[in-house]
Amino acid sequence: MINQLRLSPKTKQYALICLLIIAVSLFVFGKLGQEMLEQELYAFDSFVITKVQSLITPKLTSVMLFFTFLASTKSLLTLTVIAIGLMLWQHKRWEALFLLLALGGGMVFNLLLKWLYRRERPSIQRLIEESGYSFPSGHSMAAFLFFGMMAMLLTLFVVSRAAKAVIILIAAVLILLVGISRIYLGVHYPSDVLAGFVAGGVWLVMCLLGLKIVVETRS
C-alpha cells in the first residue's frame, strides 16, 4: 500500500520505521496484557508501588496532584482547544485535525482496552478516588498522546537540533511525571502506566504517519 502512494523516498522510509515501531509496541502491549491476566506482574507492581509510595509527603502529594490534573479530561480539553485554535490561526488545518484525532480517537481506544481487560484498580494506600477499570492507564495514554503530538508538531517549526531535543525532553518529562503521579496517588498499577504509554505510542505513531502521508499527498 505504501509503495502505491506517490511518496518521497524519505517519507517511505519514515513510514517503514513507523510500522516497525507499531509492530514492536503491539508485541510489548500484548505481552503486558497477557502477563497481567495471568497474574505474573504482581511482584513488579508491588515493588514499584512500595518504592514510589514510600516517598509520600504533603508537599509531594500536591505536586503529584498537579501532574495528574494536567492529564485530566478538563485540562487536556482546554489545552487541546487552545492548541487547535492556534493551529487554525496559522492555517495548519491538517495538524489541528490530527491532534483532535490523536486525543479523541486515543481515548475511545483506551476505553475499549479497559473494557476488554477489565482490571480493577489497586486498593493499596489510595490517596484519591477514581472509578472505572485500571488497565491501561487513561491518564498515561492521554499524556503520551497530547504531549507527544505537540512535541512532534513543535519540532517542525524549529531548525536547531538543540531546540528540538529540548522540546522532546520536556514532553518526555511531563509524560513520565503524569505516569508516576498515578502510581503515587494509588489509582494505577505501574503495569497500567506502562501499558498506557505503549498503547499511546501505537496510536500516536499511527496519527503521525497518517498526518505525514496526508500532508505530502495533498501538497
Side-chain angles (χ1 to χ4, degrees), residues 49 52-53 63-73 114 121-122 124-134 136-141 143 175-190 192-194 197:
I49 289 174
V52 172
Q53 291 199 325
V63 173
M64 292 295 118
L65 285 171
F66 167 77
F67 282 109
T68 213
F69 171 76
L70 198 60
S72 66
T73 301
K114 283 180 182 287
R121 293 182 183 271
I124 307 171
Q125 200 169 350
R126 190 181 297 183
L127 302 184
I128 61 173
E129 288 301 318
E130 290 280 8
S131 59
Y133 293 117
S134 186
S137 166
H139 273 66
S140 302
M141 189 170 173
I175 292 167
L176 181 62
L177 287 172
V178 168
I180 292 173
S181 74
R182 304 305 285 170
I183 301 169
Y184 178 96
L185 295 170
V187 291
H188 276 299
Y189 294 101
D192 297 336
V193 172
L194 289 176
F197 289 161

Side-chain angles (χ1 to χ4, degrees):
M1 181 178 178
I2 292 174
N3 290 327
Q4 294 175 348
L5 296 172
R6 295 180 179 178
L7 303 175
S8 67
K10 188 175 181 180
T11 300
K12 288 183 179 180
Q13 184 182 23
Y14 179 87
L16 290 175
I17 293 172
C18 286
L19 292 175
L20 178 61
I21 293 173
I22 290 170
V24 173
S25 298
L26 287 174
F27 173 79
V28 172
F29 184 88
K31 193 71 174 175
L32 279 171
Q34 181 183 359
E35 292 187 357
M36 183 274 293
L37 292 174
E38 294 175 355
Q39 305 292 322
E40 294 180 2
L41 294 173
Y42 178 78
F44 166 74
D45 284 332
S46 298
F47 174 78
V48 176
I49 289 174
T50 300
K51 291 296 183 181
V52 172
Q53 291 199 325
S54 68
L55 304 173
I56 290 178
T57 64
K59 288 185 178 180
L60 187 55
T61 298
S62 298
V63 173
M64 292 295 118
L65 285 171
F66 167 77
F67 282 109
T68 213
F69 171 76
L70 198 60
S72 66
T73 301
K74 182 178 180 180
S75 173
L76 288 183
L77 182 60
T78 302
L79 292 172
T80 301
V81 169
I82 293 171
I84 288 177
L86 291 172
M87 288 177 189
L88 293 177
W89 181 49
Q90 293 293 322
H91 306 290
K92 300 294 182 182
R93 291 175 297 175
W94 285 112
E95 287 81 354
L97 176 61
F98 273 87
L99 174 60
L100 185 61
L101 179 64
L103 203 58
M107 289 303 91
V108 173
F109 185 32
N110 179 262
L111 290 174
L112 175 62
L113 291 172
K114 283 180 182 287
W115 181 81
L116 287 173
Y117 285 97
R118 303 187 185 189
R119 187 187 201 182
E120 297 297 331
R121 293 182 183 271
S123 57
I124 307 171
Q125 200 169 350
R126 190 181 297 183
L127 302 184
I128 61 173
E129 288 301 318
E130 290 280 8
S131 59
Y133 293 117
S134 186
F135 185 95
S137 166
H139 273 66
S140 302
M141 189 170 173
F144 200 102
L145 287 168
F146 180 79
F147 295 115
M149 191 71 167
M150 289 304 301
M152 292 300 102
L153 293 176
L154 287 173
T155 56
L156 299 176
F157 298 98
V158 295
V159 178
S160 168
R161 289 187 178 181
K164 291 177 185 286
V166 169
I167 291 171
I168 293 174
L169 178 62
I170 291 173
V173 169
L174 288 174
I175 292 167
L176 181 62
L177 287 172
V178 168
I180 292 173
S181 74
R182 304 305 285 170
I183 301 169
Y184 178 96
L185 295 170
V187 291
H188 276 299
Y189 294 101
S191 52
D192 297 336
V193 172
L194 289 176
F197 289 161
V198 175
V202 170
W203 190 251
L204 176 62
V205 172
M206 290 175 65
C207 289
L208 289 173
L209 176 58
L211 174 60
K212 191 169 185 64
I213 291 174
V214 166
V215 170
E216 181 166 325
T217 53
R218 292 285 293 184
S219 61

